Amino acid sequence: MKRNLITGFVILCFSIAGRSQSILTDKSSFAVTDAVIYVDNSEPELVKTSATALQEDIERVTGEKIPIVTAIDQVRKNVIAIGTIQQSSFLKRLVSQKKISTDAIQGKWEASLTQIIHKPTQGIADALIVAGSDRRGAAYGVFELSKQFGVSPWYWWADVPVQQRKEIYIKSDVSLTDAPKVKYRGLFINDEAPALSGWTKEKFGGFNHKFYEKFFELILRLKGNYIWPAMWGNAFYADDSLNIKAADKYGVVIGTSHHEPLMRAHDEWRRVGGGQWNYETNQEKLKQFWRDGIKRATNEKIVSIGMRGDGDAPMSRETATALLERIVADQRKIIRDVTGKPAAETPQLWALYKEVQDYYDKGMRVPDDVTLLLSDDNWGNLRKLPRLDEKPRKGGYGIYYHFDYVGGPRNYKWLNTNPLPRIWEQMHLAWEYKVRDIWIVNVGDIKPMEFPISFFLDYAWNPEEIDADALATYTENWAADQFGKQHARDIAFLLAKYGKYNSRRKPELLDANTYSLPTGEWKAVVDAYRALLKKAEEINDGLPTAYKDAYFQLVLHPIKACANLNAMYYYVALNKQAYSNKRKETNLYADKVKELYTNDSLITRQYHQLNNGKWNHLMSQTHIGYTYWQQPNQQKMPAVQYISSDSTVAGNAGPVQTTRQGISIEADQYSKAVNTTNINWKVLPDHGRTGSAMTPFPVTASEQKPGGNSPHLQYDVVTDNQGEFTINAYFSPTLNLFRDENGLQYAISVDDEQPQIISLNKEDKTSDKGIWNKWVAENIIIKSSTHKIIQSGKHTVKFWMVSPGVVLQKLVLDFGGLEHSYLGPEATLKKNAKQ
Ligand code: REL
């Protein structure tokens, strides 16, 4: 029977929490080790690179090395045919014979079709087709196979063991297509000294092609397609002429960072530039410098345009928009002259980073084909979004985001401090406001950002498939992919909680005064870390040895290091208090600080010794002893005091629990949510410093006038107090996203009061000084309002939506004398009122 294989039911790849539908089966069907890999000789190098990677991955899993052939008539039985729809003659033949339809991926960016075809030709029993709409589409299709076969994208970069099996069977009715939603999805290696630089030097001899090949392979496995290379004293194109070849081999798009125009690393100006970095005084040399950059970068790229001051500094205050517009015009002329094509045919971006955004806000514009790369505030809070009614731009919009930063109020570059719920919430805003052309994140030293990197790129792949409610499942799946299913749920708990705890305050900003000693807050924070560590160690004890290195890097180390660091500062606080009260415990506490300080370097050493020193240097970032925003060259133990035993007084020096706690309500402990037809309150699970958070959905909803049945949350409270009191509302530190005079607003009232409208962030300044420093250092914005009740008893607090994008974490009612604490009092009701 002649079977028409165009079945018309090509399934669009559906995924749960970012994980694609499984193509594997236990039943005997298409057996991978029975197949050969076929890739046409005419295919782009990337397609061949991925075919080789698949061959190696299959060997990693099964121990069998299957052959790669370049002519289809060399196939004897089964084949895994990898190719692009433009190049693969085999694919073209199947299409013309109507044995496969590639319509679903035709003309798409980076799309892939994976399908089994039975008896595609006389001599072939079964073919597993991995077809790409272009070279990266084919590669992503291949790396999806690798992942499903049991090779984690992190198998090399985090020593995740390959799940071995004798045979890999593919379901015989497999037919799926997939394609990314965000066009360019990238990572920026930055702030790379001392950790990553020390490591690359020791392992590869620097940031050369040997290093980049490893990095590019990781990017592809994670389905990213774009990077900004390391630039601290490094220059991608100049340092190793094979770097550009490696980029092509792996099909990775190269950019230079936001302040490095026309494909030239900043360090190159220092090396060969000649003179001042000033367009008014040194125009000719700058133009030549840039022209050489474009000539050299013959690979696939996105060119940064515009100009900032030397290095990462602003241009002079007087910089005229007209001058900047002239610079952009001249740069585009260079692009046009060198490429011989209209400038609009070379992808470009203009980064609205720091002061550059002000130029834009004051009216500076670039041609429509240039992507406007919006930016966060370096602390993971978006600064600006296009309005929904803005005219669409041909070049569209992008986001430059940070997981790591060097700058004020303090560097944060040691550990991962980026919980998924906040990344999700901010990037979801970006997606919903049509920022869809470039997502790039500053990942510092790459390690230890493995988990948020995976998420950032998975989310960019398809933001519509990972909802806030799916983050716990996403985390559990990720844990299962690295460590197997058995402990996945517990490991997911650890990953989520350590991210949350570390985000409360960056480790570099912690000191003895961060948390409150008298309220018992310090002890509670330290106890929570200890509990996490206990659980993390128990799991470690139960894990097979093969998983321990990976587990240490991805889970145990950040918990151990931060539990230790927090305990150290806690004992500094205890030591201070005991010393001022002349308590005999003073010396004990001082000794404990010393012990924990030493322990910090032992934990670092343990990391550096993993897997025979494979990751040496990667934890060498100093993190204790900061005195201002910039890192200390060497760690320094916090000062402690000793006391002689004859000057002590007897008594108990322990912290005292206060009862002056007011009423504290986590945002999701509402009694009633008043929704409208178009607007619903949404719980953002585990978002924020203590509990979950609430925000109105969709995030694109228009402003609301509060009152009556407009969207609001009601919180019933019972109090013995009456008279005036304050409500402190705790928000995620969202910035003035639409640059409105009033910023983002909410409204609040008690019982039948007229709602008071309050701005969250109109004083938003993203300079290194002022209120913004406090918001980001504390990772919260707290706003207060005053209210009056004339009777004690039951009352209702109403929190009203005014602007979209506002994320409420907590409400604290203060009837006077509320003891200050960093996180605010613990929730009065221990359980969610809705449960
Ligand atoms: O985080 C940033 O975006 C900037 O601080 C860096 O891009 C900057 O270029 C810095 O590493 C050095 O110049």
Side-chain angles (χ1 to χ4, degrees):
M1 185 182 74
K2 195 167 170 223
R3 252 175 94 183
N4 181 356
L5 284 157
I6 299 189
T7 51
F9 62 82
V10 171
I11 313 162
L12 282 186
C13 177
F14 88 91
S15 67
I16 301 163
R19 174 187 267 194
S20 298
Q21 171 192 357
S22 172
I23 60 164
L24 303 189
T25 173
D26 291 335
K27 297 203 194 85
S28 163
S29 52
F30 185 98
V32 166
T33 64
D34 267 359
V36 298
I37 296 172
Y38 158 72
V39 63
D40 211 289
N41 243 340
S42 63
E43 291 288 354
E45 209 181 342
L46 168 60
V47 181
K48 297 179 199 165
T49 309
S50 22
T52 310
L54 184 68
Q55 181 191 43
E56 287 165 2
D57 286 348
I58 292 169
E59 191 179 1
R60 284 184 181 103
V61 176
T62 64
E64 298 268 336
K65 185 170 183 168
I66 64 173
I68 297 184
V69 299
T70 52
I72 201 68
D73 54 15
Q74 292 174 314
V75 177
R76 295 287 160 262
K77 188 179 173 201
N78 289 349
V79 63
I80 303 176
I82 300 169
T84 55
I85 53 183
Q86 298 83 3
Q87 294 302 332
S88 167
S89 47
F90 178 55
L91 253 179
K92 284 187 201 161
R93 182 157 27 120
L94 294 185
V95 171
S96 71
Q97 293 172 347
K98 298 203 182 330
K99 291 186 173 166
I100 189 169
S101 166
T102 51
D103 290 356
I105 58 169
Q106 192 82 40
K108 282 202 175 165
W109 175 262
E110 299 177 350
S112 64
L113 164 67
T114 304
Q115 190 171 341
I116 295 237
I117 308 281
H118 305 287
K119 268 209 164 302
T121 63
Q122 271 301 323
I124 302 177
D126 285 312
L128 172 62
I129 307 286
V130 184
S133 63
D134 51 32
R135 59 178 182 156
R136 278 192 294 272
Y140 295 139
V142 167
F143 284 117
E144 176 60 31
L145 294 186
S146 288
K147 199 164 137 192
Q148 295 212 17
F149 291 176
V151 182
S152 160
W154 297 101
Y155 79 97
W156 189 86
W157 277 91
D159 300 322
V160 174
V162 171
Q163 296 161 32
Q164 269 140 4
R165 56 176 96 197
K166 269 205 151 62
E167 186 53 275
I168 306 166
Y169 294 112
I170 313 273
K171 290 178 187 161
S172 54
D173 57 352
V174 160
S175 172
L176 48 99
T177 61
D178 205 1
K181 291 273 162 68
V182 173
K183 188 167 184 190
Y184 294 103
R185 309 164 305 279
L187 309 182
F188 175 22
I189 303 174
N190 190 220
D191 312 332
E192 61 266 22
L196 189 68
S197 299
W199 177 75
T200 42
K201 193 159 182 231
E202 181 178 301
K203 307 297 175 192
F204 301 95
F207 286 94
N208 52 28
H209 72 283
K210 291 189 210 130
F211 162 80
Y212 277 111
E213 291 210 351
K214 284 279 176 217
F215 183 50
F216 293 152
E217 183 193 326
L218 173 71
I219 295 270
L220 283 183
R221 286 181 185 270
L222 293 168
K223 298 189 184 161
N225 60 4
Y226 174 48
I227 70 145
W228 291 352
M231 45 73 67
W232 273 26
N234 300 301
F236 181 81
Y237 289 97
D239 289 344
D240 179 355
S241 59
L242 297 179
N243 281 349
I244 181 174
K245 294 210 164 64
D248 200 46
K249 178 170 168 198
Y250 286 86
V252 172
V253 182
I254 304 295
T256 42
S257 78
H258 57 89
H259 64 99
E260 300 178 301
L262 277 77
M263 307 308 289
R264 294 223 69 159
H266 172 247
D267 205 57
E268 289 184 79
W269 182 254
R270 186 185 60 77
R271 298 181 198 174
V272 300
Q276 281 183 317
W277 180 264
N278 181 326
Y279 205 69
E280 278 168 308
T281 58
N282 205 7
Q283 191 182 132
E284 285 317 311
K285 287 224 171 86
L286 277 162
K287 283 210 278 206
Q288 189 53 48
F289 179 69
W290 289 336
R291 190 170 298 115
D292 292 344
I294 294 295
K295 270 192 198 151
R296 187 180 54 182
T298 49
N299 57 317
E300 190 177 352
K301 57 191 172 288
I302 303 178
V303 181
S304 297
I305 59 165
M307 186 176 182
R308 294 189 69 211
D310 199 4
D312 193 25
M315 292 248 245
S316 69
R317 258 180 185 286
E318 309 74 49
T319 304
T321 298
L323 171 66
L324 275 167
E325 285 179 344
R326 180 154 65 81
I327 294 174
V328 169
D330 291 352
Q331 290 173 335
R332 285 171 65 86
K333 185 169 178 309
I334 294 173
I335 295 172
R336 192 188 65 206
D337 292 349
V338 175
T339 60
K341 291 185 292 191
E345 287 181 26
T346 301
Q348 292 153 58
L349 66 80
W350 183 39
L352 304 189
Y353 181 74
K354 285 193 178 167
E355 81 292 345
V356 183
Q357 185 184 299
D358 301 336
Y359 304 147
Y360 180 82
D361 288 339
K362 285 183 193 142
M364 176 175 166
R365 291 293 177 270
V366 293
D368 201 52
D369 62 86
V370 178
T371 304
L372 290 188
L373 189 69
L374 306 170
S375 175
D376 71 355
D377 59 351
N378 298 309
W379 286 70
N381 310 302
L382 303 187
R383 294 177 68 201
K384 182 182 180 72
L385 287 173
R387 288 173 186 277
L388 289 175
D389 57 5
E390 259 168 58
K391 193 170 143 259
R393 311 184 64 265
K394 186 161 167 269
Y397 295 88
I399 288 287
Y400 169 34
Y401 201 73
H402 284 75
F403 290 164
D404 170 294
Y405 180 55
V406 165
R410 190 149 294 186
N411 296 354
Y412 61 94
K413 50 185 306 221
W414 176 44
L415 292 183
N416 168 33
T417 57
N418 308 283
L420 263 40
R422 178 64 171 167
I423 307 169
W424 180 90
E425 186 263 326
Q426 290 289 288
M427 296 313 293
H428 171 253
L429 281 172
W431 173 253
E432 292 292 322
Y433 282 88
K434 310 267 186 287
V435 181
R436 300 178 173 187
D437 289 275
I438 302 175
W439 287 13
I440 182 155
V441 57
N442 188 324
V443 296
D445 298 308
I446 307 170
K447 288 172 83 65
M449 301 298 172
E450 296 92 340
F451 179 46
I453 285 177
S454 283
F455 174 69
F456 189 86
L457 294 176
D458 282 340
Y459 191 52
W461 184 265
N462 192 349
E464 280 162 2
E465 274 179 351
I466 309 181
D467 187 45
D469 303 323
L471 292 176
T473 312
Y474 174 87
T475 308
E476 195 175 324
N477 285 346
W478 193 84
D481 287 346
Q482 322 311 321
F483 306 108
K485 286 211 176 100
Q486 197 192 344
H487 299 288
R489 181 161 293 188
D490 286 339
I491 294 176
F493 174 86
L494 296 171
L495 288 167
K497 286 292 175 278
Y498 101 70
K500 185 183 187 84
Y501 294 171
N502 284 0
S503 76
R504 291 169 170 173
R505 196 165 181 92
K506 308 287 186 195
E508 292 84 345
L509 270 164
L510 279 175
D511 64 29
N513 301 321
T514 300
Y515 296 107
S516 146
L517 205 49
T519 58
E521 184 185 39
W522 242 135
K523 182 171 181 312
V525 166
V526 170
D527 285 350
Y529 267 115
R530 276 187 188 141
L532 217 55
L533 180 58
K534 186 165 173 282
K535 199 172 172 117
E537 282 180 329
E538 277 165 12
I539 292 173
N540 186 50
D541 293 343
L543 277 178
T545 317
Y547 286 93
K548 293 206 174 181
D549 282 353
Y551 184 76
F552 189 80
Q553 290 161 61
L554 300 173
V555 186
L556 186 53
H557 173 265
I559 296 176
K560 207 170 175 180
C562 275
N564 186 75
L565 190 80
N566 277 269
M568 182 188 79
Y569 287 120
Y570 171 54
Y571 279 103
V572 177
L574 286 177
N575 171 261
K576 256 194 195 168
Q577 187 200 48
Y579 179 78
S580 60
N581 294 328
K582 295 196 166 35
R583 301 287 175 187
K584 65 173 185 338
E585 295 85 356
T586 306
N587 298 356
L588 208 81
Y589 292 148
D591 286 345
K592 192 76 190 160
V593 173
K594 279 192 180 164
E595 179 194 319
L596 293 164
Y597 178 74
T598 310
N599 206 24
D600 177 85
S601 44
L602 297 179
I603 296 169
T604 300
R605 195 198 301 167
Q606 200 179 345
Y607 194 110
H608 289 166
Q609 288 177 343
L610 285 177
N611 199 354
N612 301 318
K614 182 173 173 188
W615 306 112
N616 195 19
H617 299 287
L618 270 164
M619 281 302 131
S620 57
Q621 178 57 52
T622 52
H623 47 274
I624 304 174
Y626 273 80
T627 53
Y628 70 119
W629 70 267
Q630 184 58 295
Q631 68 189 48
N633 283 337
Q634 278 183 341
Q635 307 233 104
K636 187 163 176 266
M637 194 186 95
V640 288
Q641 312 268 16
Y642 280 88
I643 194 167
S644 66
S645 56
D646 45 2
S647 58
T648 58
V649 295
N652 185 354
V656 187
Q657 180 72 41
T658 177
T659 50
R660 295 200 305 260
Q661 299 216 324
I663 298 179
S664 175
I665 315 165
E666 292 290 346
D668 65 336
Q669 293 180 316
Y670 56 86
S671 323
K672 187 175 174 193
V674 177
N675 299 317
T676 62
T677 333
N678 299 322
I679 301 174
N680 286 291
W681 289 96
K682 169 136 176 116
V683 180
L684 301 179
D686 212 19
H687 177 119
R689 301 193 313 177
T690 49
S692 297
M694 297 299 298
T695 197
F697 253 53
V699 292
T700 46
S702 54
E703 291 233 328
Q704 299 293 301
K705 190 170 169 324
N709 278 329
S710 80
H712 67 280
L713 294 165
Q714 298 182 0
Y715 297 89
D716 293 338
V717 295
V718 180
T719 173
D720 295 340
N721 295 284
Q722 58 192 49
E724 273 208 353
F725 68 100
T726 304
I727 301 181
N728 297 317
Y730 289 55
F731 298 97
S732 302
T734 308
L735 301 181
N736 186 354
L737 292 169
F738 307 104
R739 316 313 297 168
D740 272 334
E741 202 187 320
N742 293 324
L744 300 180
Q745 295 176 306
Y746 70 102
I748 191 146
S749 59
V750 177
D751 300 330
D752 294 325
E753 265 178 5
Q754 182 70 19
Q756 300 177 38
I757 299 186
I758 298 171
S759 170
L760 196 71
N761 49 21
K762 72 173 172 200
E763 56 282 68
D764 158 10
K765 290 190 200 74
T766 48
S767 67
D768 281 355
K769 296 218 166 59
I771 187 79
W772 174 83
N773 273 352
K774 187 171 158 66
W775 292 347
V776 298
E778 296 179 353
N779 197 19
I780 203 88
I781 294 179
I782 303 176
K783 288 284 160 180
S784 302
S785 51
T786 311
H787 306 262
K788 194 168 175 179
I789 43 175
I790 39 179
Q791 268 182 348
S792 57
K794 185 172 172 230
H795 295 275
T796 304
V797 175
K798 295 177 184 165
F799 176 85
W800 304 84
M801 171 190 177
V802 178
S803 318
V806 171
V807 180
L808 178 70
Q809 294 192 15
K810 182 179 186 132
L811 293 169
V812 177
L813 281 56
D814 179 1
F815 299 94
L818 188 77
E819 200 89 47
H820 173 79
S821 60
Y822 183 79
L823 299 170
E826 270 185 41
T828 312
L829 250 187
K830 296 294 171 229
K831 274 206 330 219
N832 185 342
K834 297 307 300 166
Q835 285 167 356

